[in-house]
Amino acid sequence: MHLQSPDWFIVIAAFVLFAGMAIWSGRQSKSVSGFLVSGRCAGRYLLTIAAGMVWIDAINIVGMFELYYVGGFPGMGWGLMIQPPLAVLMAVSGWAVYRFRETRAMTVPQYLEMRYSRGVRVTAGIVAWTAGMINFGIYPAVSAHFISCFCGLPAHLALGGMQMPVFPLLMAVMMAVTLLFVFHGGHVTVLVMDFCQGLFINVAAILLVLVVGFTWLNWQEVLAVLNQAPADASLLDPVHTSNVRDFNLWYFLIGSIGMFYTRLSNFQGQAFDAAARTPHEGRMGNVLAQLRWHTLCLFFMVMVLAAQTALKHPAHATLGHSIQAWLDVLEQQHGAAVRGQMTVSTALAFILPVGGKGLFLAIMVAAMISSKSAFIHSFGSIFVQDVVMPFRKTAPAPERQLRWLRLSMFGVTAFAILFGCLYRQTESILMYFALSNTLWLGGSGAILIGGLYWKKGNTRGAYAAMGVGAVLGLGGFAIMQGWEKWFGAPLRFSVAGHAFELNPQWWLLFTMVVSTLAYVGVSLATRRGVSFDLDRLLHRGESTAASDERIPLWKRICGITPEFTTRDRLTVYLLMGWIFVWFAACVVMIAFAVAGRIGNAEWAGFWKIYLCALFGLLVFTTAWLGIGGIRDLKTMFHLLRTGSADTAEDGSVATDRSDAA
């Protein structure tokens, strides 16, 4: 066992705190609306931290470790240059999320029924649920691998004279505990737990960065390790990364396109989008979330640098051999893909001091519970609300509907455990996400975004896009899993004289393009009658359009509307200033690198300054968002207690609003 008594005390204390909050908050959920979308009572700061936890499961942390371990600072650099400026513009404009909240739908498939037809809702629910379950299936497995490696657990446990495998036991315990938390209070519990755990992770990340920075990391040792990389797979210079597999420039470019295309397609976050008190509060929550995610990248990178130093620097050769020996055993048991995923986590188990290990494990436990609870709640809700309920002629009593929702969540949990036991992963986590998501994400963006912004899209176009996306998604699974086995080499293609290896990220891009063409082409070819009335769907009148026209063009481009208060505008301008200053600095550095005027030494200095700036921002935003989130919690509980929350809805659509186009 790598952990000692103080470490276990930290983990147990944190877990007891989370459990207490879950039990207490669950008593506030007394309606279907409360169970599904927290009665639409969430404020911006609460949403910023809580909604962000959907994407910070242990598997996402391990995935980011894997990305930065392979890609180094260039992985951070291309992410800094390409995605943050686009992400902040998307968040400020309220891209897709603002209009979705205006529809007043409680789930995304419900909006699809309002926009297209009940058949589209059911089809989307089935495809999204299937893809989501395949995607979610590896979450328990990766979490169990992490706990086993980090804690140094044996492969089997003697129990009553029998040898019981530890891996499936860990998965079952983790998922059962998470299910119990969600089972009682639904989304109110998810929202409160995710906020508490998200705030805890921020504080713990600050402490761990300080611990690792002052007790382990030596910047000269870090540079010596990073400079060992080949010239065309640099871990410091983003310009020289042509031989970095998977996590290169193209990965981030495609990811940026997908960021806009799939904004509403990841259903695990749909309840948070619908839970905002107003569309503007939801938009501001997404704006502030850009800061929080930006700062957490510091935590990922510092942990990766510590692991790389331990594994590769000659001064730590003995320690490195011990870590490699443990990873060798892991590879024999679970394969090379799992070894790659667990490299950084295993190294940290050897590096972190007593107390630090407990803090890191507590971070991972908090991340596991928060993200898995959102998945269980989301896909359990989708099955009932969007697959079962549309076939009923009358709405069930609220008590019966809540019982169905809880049973559905139990089924989601059982499937994830079974999938984790049977599926053997052969690719990196982020590549697996790209591959499994293609089944739904590839075609969904066209109908979801198109339905909100293009009045000529119709039901036939929606079916065509979903059909193309599903077929190409299944084809992608077959190709990615079998091509190299069948032909002995990866599938490669050439664009403008440049050779590329076809990976899940490229396949996702291909699917998005073809599905969009299918949606537009079929909608135009089968269009008849008048176009769809988007103003009716969005509950807008002529006054809304008139007020928008009075906004200066530059503000409309940035997404600034009359709803922005002076404080809101100041927040947006400061956020944009932070993002675009670093964007400009990175552009200048890359221009000098292309001209051959700077090298690894200059990039090392740049990244050191950037990490220090991120640490300052992490400390500031943790205090700011934490105080605001606690205030939002008080407001939400007041609204739920006084009956001011939106509790009348059950997620059904009274009439079929299929388009006439």
Side-chain angles (χ1 to χ4, degrees):
M1 300 289 287
H2 295 305
L3 275 68
Q4 299 182 27
S5 298
D7 298 309
W8 287 115
F9 175 80
I10 293 172
V11 175
I12 293 171
F15 179 79
V16 170
L17 174 64
F18 301 149
M21 291 299 299
I23 294 170
W24 177 75
S25 61
R27 298 171 183 169
Q28 312 300 320
S29 180
K30 301 176 181 179
S31 66
V32 172
S33 175
F35 196 89
L36 289 175
V37 292
S38 299
R40 302 192 197 278
C41 297
R44 64 184 66 178
Y45 300 105
L46 179 58
L47 288 171
T48 296
I49 294 181
M53 289 304 296
V54 176
W55 317 109
I56 310 180
D57 189 280
I59 191 172
N60 303 101
I61 294 176
V62 170
M64 291 302 294
F65 285 166
E66 194 174 13
L67 186 157
Y68 284 166
Y69 192 84
V70 173
F73 278 109
M76 178 180 278
W78 289 123
L80 171 65
M81 246 191 92
I82 299 171
Q83 291 184 345
L86 296 176
V88 72
L89 289 175
M90 183 175 74
V92 174
S93 69
W95 172 255
V97 177
Y98 188 93
R99 290 196 172 203
F100 168 67
R101 179 61 180 83
E102 283 187 306
T103 68
R104 301 176 189 171
M106 300 175 76
T107 65
V108 174
Q110 180 189 350
Y111 142 65
L112 290 177
E113 179 178 356
M114 298 162 66
R115 175 61 177 86
Y116 299 106
S117 69
R118 183 163 297 179
V120 171
R121 175 181 187 171
V122 174
T123 303
I126 293 172
V127 176
W129 187 87
T130 303
M133 294 306 297
I134 294 173
N135 180 277
F136 185 46
I138 69 167
Y139 273 62
V142 173
S143 297
H145 285 313
F146 163 77
I147 292 179
S148 179
C149 294
F150 191 77
C151 298
L153 299 179
H156 292 82
L157 184 67
L159 192 64
M162 300 177 60
Q163 291 292 315
M164 179 172 292
V166 170
F167 176 66
L169 182 62
L170 282 174
M171 284 197 298
V173 171
M174 280 188 304
M175 296 301 292
V177 169
T178 306
L179 176 64
L180 287 175
F181 287 163
V182 184
F183 213 71
H184 181 46
H187 195 256
V188 171
T189 299
V190 172
L191 191 65
V192 173
M193 280 179 46
D194 283 8
F195 170 76
C196 294
Q197 291 168 123
L199 186 58
F200 169 80
I201 285 178
N202 268 44
V203 174
I206 292 172
L207 295 175
L208 278 178
V209 168
L210 288 173
V211 168
V212 172
F214 283 105
T215 65
W216 176 260
L217 280 184
N218 178 298
W219 190 246
Q220 296 307 315
E221 291 182 353
V222 170
L223 295 185
V225 169
L226 298 180
N227 282 318
Q228 295 173 10
D232 57 353
S234 176
L235 296 178
L236 284 166
D237 185 351
V239 174
H240 299 96
T241 56
S242 59
N243 204 32
V244 175
R245 183 177 180 182
D246 292 335
F247 302 120
N248 48 34
L249 170 62
W250 295 104
Y251 173 84
F252 292 100
L253 284 174
I254 296 171
S256 298
I257 297 171
M259 180 171 63
F260 283 86
Y261 183 85
T262 65
R263 179 58 188 89
L264 288 178
S265 302
N266 290 295
F267 283 0
Q268 54 269 37
Q270 65 175 355
F272 294 96
D273 292 333
R277 286 200 297 267
T278 65
H280 182 64
E281 281 295 293
R283 169 164 54 187
M284 289 304 297
N286 281 304
V287 169
L288 296 173
Q290 304 308 313
L291 274 178
R292 180 167 184 263
W293 178 255
H294 208 54
T295 55
L296 284 178
C297 291
L298 166 73
F299 168 72
F300 302 140
M301 181 55 76
V302 170
M303 298 302 112
V304 167
L305 293 177
Q308 287 177 324
T309 303
L311 285 163
K312 298 178 181 179
H313 197 277
H316 308 289
T318 302
L319 178 62
H321 289 316
S322 299
I323 298 171
Q324 294 289 2
W326 193 269
L327 291 171
D328 290 339
V329 173
L330 181 65
E331 182 174 358
Q332 292 174 3
Q333 294 176 348
H334 301 287
V338 174
R339 179 193 178 116
Q341 295 164 13
M342 295 300 136
T343 297
V344 175
S345 301
T346 303
L348 291 175
F350 286 84
I351 294 170
L352 293 174
V354 175
K357 292 184 179 71
L359 202 57
F360 181 70
L361 182 57
I363 285 178
M364 300 298 273
V365 169
M368 292 173 197
I369 294 174
S370 58
S371 183
K372 290 181 179 62
S373 64
F375 266 85
I376 291 172
H377 175 270
S378 178
F379 290 105
S381 300
I382 287 172
F383 187 79
V384 172
Q385 296 294 120
D386 306 311
V387 179
V388 175
M389 290 280 289
F391 287 104
R392 290 183 55 86
K393 295 181 179 180
T394 59
E399 295 79 9
R400 175 175 291 185
Q401 188 172 350
L402 289 172
R403 187 163 58 249
W404 290 353
L405 287 166
R406 291 186 173 104
L407 287 173
S408 179
M409 291 173 189
F410 176 81
V412 169
T413 304
F415 175 88
I417 295 172
L418 182 62
F419 188 95
C421 290
L422 298 178
Y423 181 77
R424 185 177 178 86
Q425 194 179 344
T426 59
E427 58 284 292
S428 67
I429 291 172
L430 297 182
M431 287 295 115
Y432 176 86
F433 284 168
L435 182 58
S436 60
N437 284 334
T438 301
L439 180 66
W440 165 244
L441 296 187
S444 63
I447 64 173
L448 293 173
I449 304 302
L452 289 172
Y453 291 94
W454 192 46
K455 60 185 178 180
K456 296 180 181 180
N458 62 23
T459 300
R460 296 174 184 84
Y463 279 125
M466 284 192 292
V468 168
V471 170
L472 291 179
L474 291 172
F477 253 108
I479 292 173
M480 299 302 159
Q481 293 290 328
W483 188 276
E484 194 165 353
K485 297 178 183 177
W486 301 332
F487 300 101
L491 178 59
R492 299 181 182 276
F493 64 99
S494 179
V495 177
H498 296 281
F500 299 96
E501 181 179 322
L502 183 65
N503 61 28
Q505 194 80 337
W506 278 107
W507 191 261
L508 176 60
L509 175 64
F510 173 71
T511 305
M512 290 190 296
V513 171
V514 177
S515 298
T516 301
L517 292 175
Y519 175 72
V520 173
V522 173
S523 292
L524 292 176
T526 60
R527 182 170 177 255
R528 63 179 185 274
V530 297
S531 299
F532 188 85
D533 187 354
L534 284 179
D535 288 336
R536 184 163 67 105
L537 174 71
L538 303 176
H539 301 92
R540 291 181 173 183
E542 294 182 2
S543 59
T544 303
S547 64
D548 288 345
E549 289 298 323
R550 293 195 297 269
I551 303 171
L553 177 61
W554 71 271
K555 286 189 175 182
R556 274 186 279 161
I557 292 174
C558 294
I560 304 295
T561 67
E563 295 167 295
F564 281 80
T565 64
T566 301
R567 181 177 296 180
D568 293 341
R569 290 195 295 272
L570 179 61
T571 300
V572 169
Y573 297 150
L574 289 175
L575 172 60
M576 286 186 170
W578 169 272
I579 295 294
F580 283 99
V581 163
W582 285 106
F583 169 78
C586 203
V587 169
V588 170
M589 290 290 291
I590 288 177
F592 278 115
V594 171
R597 297 177 62 181
I598 63 173
N600 280 356
E602 290 76 14
W603 275 109
F606 175 81
W607 294 125
K608 187 176 182 179
I609 294 172
Y610 181 59
L611 292 180
C612 291
L614 277 184
F615 181 77
L617 186 64
L618 174 60
V619 173
F620 171 74
T621 55
T622 298
W624 176 35
L625 299 177
I627 293 171
I630 292 171
R631 189 167 59 244
D632 283 346
L633 271 180
K634 293 180 180 178
T635 301
M636 183 181 76
F637 287 134
H638 173 73
L639 293 174
L640 289 171
R641 282 195 305 269
T642 59
S644 302
D646 185 357
T647 59
E649 297 179 81
D650 63 0
S652 60
V653 179
T655 58
D656 189 338
R657 297 184 60 182
S658 57
D659 61 283

